[in-house]
Amino acid sequence: MLDADVLKALANEKRLLVLEWLRDPAAHFPPQRDGDLVHDGVCSLFIAEKLGVSQPTCGEHLKVLARAGLVRATKIRQWVFYRRDEDRIAEVKEVLGGGW
């Protein structure tokens, strides 16, 4: 299914960058003390830093991506880690008929 949340998520360059980086988190982010980059996801603090935005701004971008189902959040201790939902992304790509 394609809905307005997905279109909104994909209509922003910073959110597209996040999706690209999360495709291969080990290549784009430093090792984390808590949580495995691939299994658990990337800490939102690292994502905010790489995007060059404040933590609240990054949080909004991640919230939009999560609402669309394109990323999944996992809380470990006080931190939230994000990783791509590959099944949902494949579904959206099929509907859109293109590779992003």
Side-chain angles (χ1 to χ4, degrees), residues 5-57:
D5 288 336
V6 171
L7 295 175
K8 181 178 178 179
L10 298 177
N12 182 280
E13 287 182 35
K14 290 197 182 286
R15 290 191 285 270
L16 291 175
L17 275 174
V18 171
L19 288 173
E20 180 64 29
W21 296 335
L22 293 180
R23 182 184 305 186
D24 185 3
H28 295 283
F29 296 97
Q32 304 174 135
R33 188 182 69 170
D34 295 315
D36 178 77
L37 283 170
V38 176
H39 180 262
D40 300 312
V42 177
C43 179
S44 60
L45 297 175
F46 286 138
I47 297 171
E49 183 178 309
K50 189 165 178 85
L51 275 178
V53 298
S54 69
Q55 292 173 23
T57 298

Side-chain angles (χ1 to χ4, degrees), residues 1-10 19 64-72 83-98 100:
M1 267 308 196
L2 191 62
D3 57 33
D5 288 336
V6 171
L7 295 175
K8 181 178 178 179
L10 298 177
L19 288 173
V64 170
L65 289 168
R67 192 176 308 120
L70 301 174
V71 299
R72 298 274 179 214
R83 60 187 169 86
R84 288 167 46 119
D85 183 329
E86 296 298 343
D87 291 337
R88 175 67 172 145
I89 289 172
E91 178 184 299
V92 170
K93 286 171 77 172
E94 184 176 319
V95 171
L96 292 175
W100 48 273

